Amino acid sequence: MDLPEPPLFTGLFAVNGATRLYGTIGDPIRQLRLTGVMSQIFAAVGANAVWLPFEGGPALLPVMLEALGKMRNLGGFTVTIPHKSAILPLLDHVTRRAQAAGSVNLVKCEADGTLSGDMVDGAGFVAGLEAQGHRVRGASVWLVGFGGVGGAIAAALCEAGVGRLLVTELNATRADAGLDRLSRFYPDVPVASISADHPPKGIHYAINATPLGLRPDDPLSFDPMTLDPDAVIAEVIMSPVETPLLQRARMHGRRVHHGHHTLDYQIPLYLDWFGIDSKGVDVVRLARSIP
Amino acid sequence: MDLPEPPLFTGLFAVNGATRLYGTIGDPIRQLRLTGVMSQIFAAVGANAVWLPFEGGPALLPVMLEALGKMRNLGGFTVTIPHKSAILPLLDHVTRRAQAAGSVNLVKCEADGTLSGDMVDGAGFVAGLEAQGHRVRGASVWLVGFGGVGGAIAAALCEAGVGRLLVTELNATRADAGLDRLSRFYPDVPVASISADHPPKGIHYAINATPLGLRPDDPLSFDPMTLDPDAVIAEVIMSPVETPLLQRARMHGRRVHHGHHTLDYQIPLYLDWFGIDSKGVDVVRLARSIP
């Protein structure tokens, strides 16, 4: 009997009764790339585990969490739109950086049935910067966009010991709430809110954490040419790889940092959080090799 | 980078964000063979779907059902020990044969979030008998063992228009409850309870639906040699393939019917229930070819 040829690089799993389940809860979820990435990672580190799409909106979240803690072969999951903020108060334990970010993107089902949450969108961003030789400790950072991903990056920068953090956010309510959380969890880090019309001086890293750049005709969230010539211009948008912001910065000889690093460097954090030994496999390089 | 060679015949899935989830809820579940079988079936019929183990006991069941109806990419699941009876009152719709059996082994998540249950352990058994050329309509059947699987077979035999059904069950409470259900849902079928000490005459099919025969030193649940020479001796036990009952019957030239047919012939019923087109693939033959 002829079976259809399995497609390359989309995640080949050998599932049996002892397979542990991982996945992503979200809505929409059909575009999810992580199923393909994590299947290769699990295969490479020899884990009997599968990464699944769990498709559902706000009505699913509380009952799903109740169920997931009781499903013994569910190891954990990541959380995407629209659940990242809503899930936080529903968990049993939440890390300091996730509380400071006000959102969670990574949940582990503990052996006792409780659920622990972390936020590693920002930690992945910081790990990506550091891996490219960009030291964060003591640096001056301008963060443009202080919503979900911006809040996560801000918390991770504070945790990494940033010297000074300036944030720009048009939504004043959101900005105030975010600054309040940061000052509560990281009182020693100098944080201030500034307007994009008055670009700061002496900045080492300027980060676009707004959605501007997803579409080709979006305006820039800030003009990289107003910054010091040695400032690194960083992007959180993964697709397109080269946003208009990065294009303009690179065209004028500025140093740039691409958005895909943020996800690449989250993979080792996922494995750590789930207690899966990477067995020396370079999972960042492997993740990056998967289309 | 060298990825480990995927094992043969254990279920290779290409999972992406649009993959539909199916599986089995039970405890224990690590021995589950269906993950391997259904992965081959899904691949053969071109369904973007995966079959998973959902491991959990009685505490999981109600919250899991609440969650599963809200998870939009969960297509459905089968139910095994210890949930087959407990799940029945928790479902929104239950087929006649499942109500008559008092148990459910197959659940579909409907588009409106409700859950529909069926019991096809018995229907699979009857389909297997018929496929071997053993006509059930009008036949006289002796069913030994009237517990979970026996109750399911009894209901399926009644639905298939059996002429007369005799049941033998040592547990009187269980026997009474089962007979009561059958008479309620299939009042036109003559059903009676008899003792194994007085084997009936004129029987076409005698079925072992007790666990006797799982272990090599188990006593026989009945003696096949007391029956008419042309009676078919049928078994529900799948492993060992040749139980002492079937051995003894075959050794004396009697016709036998093996337990594995029951599961093999459930596969098309699963696909029908989930609304998956088998596209002309002989799924019974394929299921049987999988070790």
Side-chain angles (χ1 to χ4, degrees):
Chain A
M1 140 127 266
D2 283 344
L3 297 182
E5 186 114 71
L8 277 176
F9 294 123
T10 57
L12 292 180
F13 296 101
V15 174
N16 59 34
T19 298
R20 286 182 73 71
L21 312 185
Y22 297 86
T24 302
I25 307 187
D27 184 22
I29 194 116
R30 292 174 163 251
Q31 78 299 342
L32 189 69
R33 188 173 154 267
L34 213 51
T35 49
V37 173
M38 292 306 295
S39 64
Q40 306 266 324
I41 303 285
F42 285 152
V45 306
N48 181 3
V50 63
W51 197 279
L52 304 162
F54 299 128
E55 183 184 11
L60 173 65
L61 195 64
V63 285
M64 180 102 174
L65 294 185
E66 180 84 12
L68 295 184
K70 293 189 171 66
M71 201 193 305
R72 281 206 307 280
N73 63 327
L74 192 111
F77 49 92
T78 61
V79 182
T80 187
I81 291 167
H83 303 307
K84 287 187 181 190
S85 296
I87 198 173
L88 195 149
L90 305 175
L91 301 173
D92 300 295
H93 321 279
V94 177
T95 61
R96 181 182 188 77
R97 63 187 173 197
Q99 292 181 68
S103 59
V104 161
N105 80 326
L106 184 59
V107 176
K108 182 186 182 184
C109 305
E110 307 285 356
D112 63 1
T114 60
L115 298 174
S116 300
D118 196 3
M119 166 43 81
V120 297
D121 280 337
F125 177 86
V126 168
L129 265 188
E130 300 264 1
Q132 301 296 308
H134 302 312
R135 198 177 152 81
V136 169
R137 175 164 298 279
S140 280
V141 180
W142 183 25
L143 179 65
V144 182
F146 198 36
V149 66
I153 289 175
L157 288 169
C158 289
E159 186 153 281
V162 73
R164 181 175 63 135
L165 178 61
L166 302 173
V167 301
T168 295
E169 166 61 50
L170 294 180
N171 180 327
T173 313
R174 177 189 279 176
D176 289 348
L179 290 170
D180 180 59
R181 274 195 307 269
L182 287 184
S183 66
R184 222 159 10 106
F185 289 98
Y186 302 103
D188 297 339
V189 180
V191 182
S193 177
I194 64 167
S195 156
D197 301 334
H198 304 283
K201 295 291 163 193
I203 288 298
H204 300 104
Y205 308 113
I207 306 161
N208 173 49
T210 76
L212 292 173
L214 282 171
R215 290 168 309 184
D217 54 349
D218 281 340
L220 301 186
S221 61
F222 64 93
D223 182 357
M225 304 318 297
T226 60
L227 297 169
D228 296 354
D230 59 346
V232 175
I233 313 303
E235 181 61 270
V236 298
I237 291 172
M238 291 176 60
S239 173
V241 172
E242 193 89 331
T243 58
L245 175 73
L246 294 187
Q247 258 170 20
R248 178 166 163 82
R250 209 167 45 86
M251 220 165 56
H252 291 87
R254 300 303 178 97
R255 294 189 295 168
V256 301
H257 183 78
H258 290 92
H260 66 80
H261 294 300
T262 297
L263 181 57
D264 297 340
Y265 283 91
Q266 282 193 54
I267 309 289
L269 301 174
Y270 295 170
L271 296 185
D272 277 357
W273 185 247
F274 295 138
I276 296 172
D277 184 355
S278 67
K279 300 202 179 70
V281 174
D282 184 345
V283 294
V284 171
R285 210 178 115 235
L286 176 55
R288 199 173 299 156
S289 74
I290 300 164
Chain B
M1 145 124 261
D2 284 345
L3 297 180
E5 185 113 72
L8 277 178
F9 294 123
T10 56
L12 291 181
F13 296 100
V15 174
N16 59 35
T19 298
R20 287 183 70 74
L21 312 185
Y22 297 86
T24 302
I25 306 187
D27 184 21
I29 194 116
R30 293 177 160 250
Q31 78 300 342
L32 189 68
R33 186 173 155 268
L34 213 49
T35 49
V37 173
M38 292 306 295
S39 64
Q40 307 266 324
I41 304 283
F42 285 152
V45 305
N48 180 4
V50 62
W51 198 278
L52 304 161
F54 300 127
E55 182 184 11
L60 173 63
L61 195 63
V63 285
M64 181 103 174
L65 294 184
E66 180 83 12
L68 295 184
K70 293 190 171 65
M71 201 193 304
R72 281 205 308 279
N73 64 327
L74 193 110
F77 49 92
T78 62
V79 181
T80 187
I81 291 167
H83 303 308
K84 287 188 181 190
S85 295
I87 198 173
L88 195 148
L90 305 176
L91 300 174
D92 300 294
H93 321 279
V94 177
T95 61
R96 183 182 187 78
R97 64 187 174 198
Q99 292 180 67
S103 59
V104 161
N105 81 325
L106 184 59
V107 176
K108 182 185 181 185
C109 304
E110 307 286 355
D112 64 0
T114 59
L115 299 174
S116 300
D118 196 2
M119 164 44 80
V120 296
D121 279 338
F125 178 85
V126 167
L129 264 187
E130 299 263 1
Q132 302 295 307
H134 302 312
R135 198 177 151 81
V136 168
R137 175 164 297 277
S140 280
V141 179
W142 182 25
L143 178 64
V144 183
F146 197 35
V149 67
I153 289 174
L157 288 168
C158 288
E159 186 151 281
V162 73
R164 181 174 63 134
L165 177 60
L166 303 172
V167 301
T168 295
E169 166 60 51
L170 294 179
N171 180 327
T173 313
R174 176 190 280 177
D176 288 348
L179 290 170
D180 180 59
R181 273 195 307 268
L182 287 184
S183 65
R184 221 155 15 105
F185 288 96
Y186 302 102
D188 298 339
V189 181
V191 182
S193 177
I194 63 167
S195 157
D197 301 335
H198 303 284
K201 293 290 165 196
I203 288 298
H204 300 103
Y205 307 111
I207 306 160
N208 174 48
T210 75
L212 292 172
L214 282 171
R215 289 168 308 185
D217 55 349
D218 281 339
L220 301 186
S221 61
F222 63 93
D223 182 356
M225 305 317 297
T226 60
L227 297 169
D228 297 353
D230 60 347
V232 174
I233 313 303
E235 179 63 88
V236 298
I237 291 172
M238 290 177 60
S239 174
V241 172
E242 193 89 331
T243 58
L245 174 73
L246 294 188
Q247 258 169 18
R248 178 166 162 83
R250 209 166 46 85
M251 219 166 56
H252 290 86
R254 300 303 178 98
R255 293 189 296 168
V256 301
H257 184 78
H258 290 92
H260 65 81
H261 294 300
T262 298
L263 181 56
D264 297 340
Y265 283 91
Q266 282 193 55
I267 309 288
L269 302 174
Y270 294 171
L271 295 185
D272 277 358
W273 186 246
F274 296 138
I276 297 173
D277 184 356
S278 67
K279 301 201 178 70
V281 174
D282 184 345
V283 295
V284 171
R285 207 178 117 236
L286 175 56
R288 199 174 297 155
S289 74
I290 300 165

